[in-house]
Amino acid sequence: MSQDLVLQQRDGYLLHLTLNRPDKKNALTFEMYLALIEAMKQAEQDDGIRVLLLSGAGGSFTSGNDIAAFVAAMGQPEKARIPLSFLQALASFSKPIVAAVDGVAVGIGTSLLLHCDLVLASEDAIFQLPFTKLGLVPEGGTSLLLPQQLGHRLAFELLVEGDAIPAHRAAQLGLINTVLPQSQLLDSALRRAHTLTRLAPEAVRQSKQMLKAANKPALDAVLVSEVEAFAARLSSPEAREAFQAFMEKRAPNF
């Protein structure tokens, strides 16, 4: 298990997963993805865990994929599929997932929230899906789920223009449940999660399954097709220029 992911089993059937790479705004490495996959696999099989809580350390949720790690992995398709395995595990997880979002939620940091069941955010939270800014394409099921939820034009605004939006705008769009002062965020998320642990566990699981059942075949297919397109884009000239510009702290020249 990666030291960049902290697991804490709290009273009342709750497993709290904390992304713990605060010096990098919890940017996700391949090792962190593998640790998340293993934690969810164990939680799925453990009757002593009824709810997952996901948060980030150090005032950030996650700044998305670690750019340096992904640049180093260019030309390694097996590594490009690790985030797909994470997204598949997240989308198919049968128990409730509560997310507490503070600070930045960029790229997959926002798209993964579409697979959570309750999302609470601080007033300081910022959400962004800057795929085209990096020469990439949508992932995480966003090309299916966001148009369904928001319609084409708002989905285009988030996925193609890719500008950051504040927490209150995200709440207005229905991307998150509620916005709270930062000082109240984690306590409120814990309360909501503990409330879920006290409900009839099988009824909760079946209810979640029913809510997601109609979309499951399409989502399963889209997750794969998106990652295939994303992996191909990683080695494109546009993505290479975007990543190089990011590392050099300059604007890309497309």
Side-chain angles (χ1 to χ4, degrees):
M1 194 69 69
S2 170
Q3 65 180 1
D4 296 331
L5 180 69
V6 175
L7 282 68
Q8 183 179 4
Q9 188 157 359
R10 297 178 178 268
D11 295 338
Y13 305 103
L14 174 62
L15 180 63
H16 185 183
L17 306 180
T18 304
L19 304 175
N20 187 44
R21 203 178 173 219
D23 58 318
K24 299 294 185 180
K25 296 186 177 180
N26 301 320
L28 293 162
T29 63
F30 294 111
E31 291 75 21
M32 291 171 72
Y33 278 124
L34 292 171
L36 284 162
I37 293 166
E38 181 61 25
M40 286 189 289
K41 179 181 177 181
Q42 293 180 12
E44 187 73 76
Q45 298 170 350
D46 186 349
D47 291 338
I49 296 171
R50 295 182 180 179
V51 178
L52 283 188
L53 172 61
L54 184 61
S55 65
S60 297
F61 185 62
T62 172
S63 57
N65 291 320
D66 185 290
I67 296 295
F70 272 71
V71 169
M74 284 180 175
Q76 300 179 55
E78 69 283 357
K79 278 200 168 182
R81 295 189 68 83
I82 291 175
L84 171 61
S85 297
F86 163 71
L87 289 163
Q88 290 171 325
L90 188 72
S92 65
F93 193 74
S94 68
K95 303 174 184 182
I97 304 172
V98 179
V101 181
D102 189 23
V104 295
V106 178
I108 198 167
T110 288
S111 58
L112 73 83
L113 299 174
L114 299 177
H115 305 286
C116 297
D117 303 292
L118 291 173
V119 181
L120 289 71
S122 77
E123 295 170 329
D124 300 325
I126 298 291
F127 303 84
Q128 188 175 17
L129 295 162
F131 301 121
T132 62
K133 294 178 186 292
L134 294 171
L136 301 173
V137 291
E139 44 81 337
T142 52
S143 66
L144 172 70
L145 298 176
L146 282 180
Q148 284 182 343
Q149 181 172 336
L150 304 177
H152 172 78
R153 285 181 295 277
L154 285 173
F156 186 94
E157 179 182 333
L158 295 181
L159 290 171
V160 179
E161 288 189 329
D163 293 332
I165 61 170
H168 288 288
R169 173 68 167 153
Q172 182 184 50
L173 293 174
L175 299 177
I176 62 178
N177 292 86
T178 190
V179 181
L180 299 156
Q182 185 184 49
S183 61
Q184 299 176 19
L185 175 63
L186 188 55
D187 285 345
S188 295
L190 285 167
R191 279 197 301 274
R192 297 287 291 268
H194 279 304
T195 297
L196 289 170
T197 67
R198 293 190 288 270
L199 297 175
E202 191 55 34
V204 170
R205 289 176 63 152
Q206 287 187 22
S207 297
K208 174 174 177 173
Q209 182 183 33
M210 292 166 69
L211 288 168
K212 301 184 75 172
N215 225 25
K216 187 178 186 304
L219 179 59
D220 289 346
V222 165
L223 286 173
V224 173
S225 64
E226 283 179 342
V227 165
E228 289 175 348
F230 192 93
R233 291 298 306 170
L234 279 173
S235 58
S236 70
E238 289 179 345
R240 289 181 182 276
E241 165 59 15
F243 291 159
Q244 189 66 31
F246 178 86
M247 303 295 282
E248 295 173 0
K249 298 182 179 180
R250 59 172 175 82
N253 181 23
F254 293 130

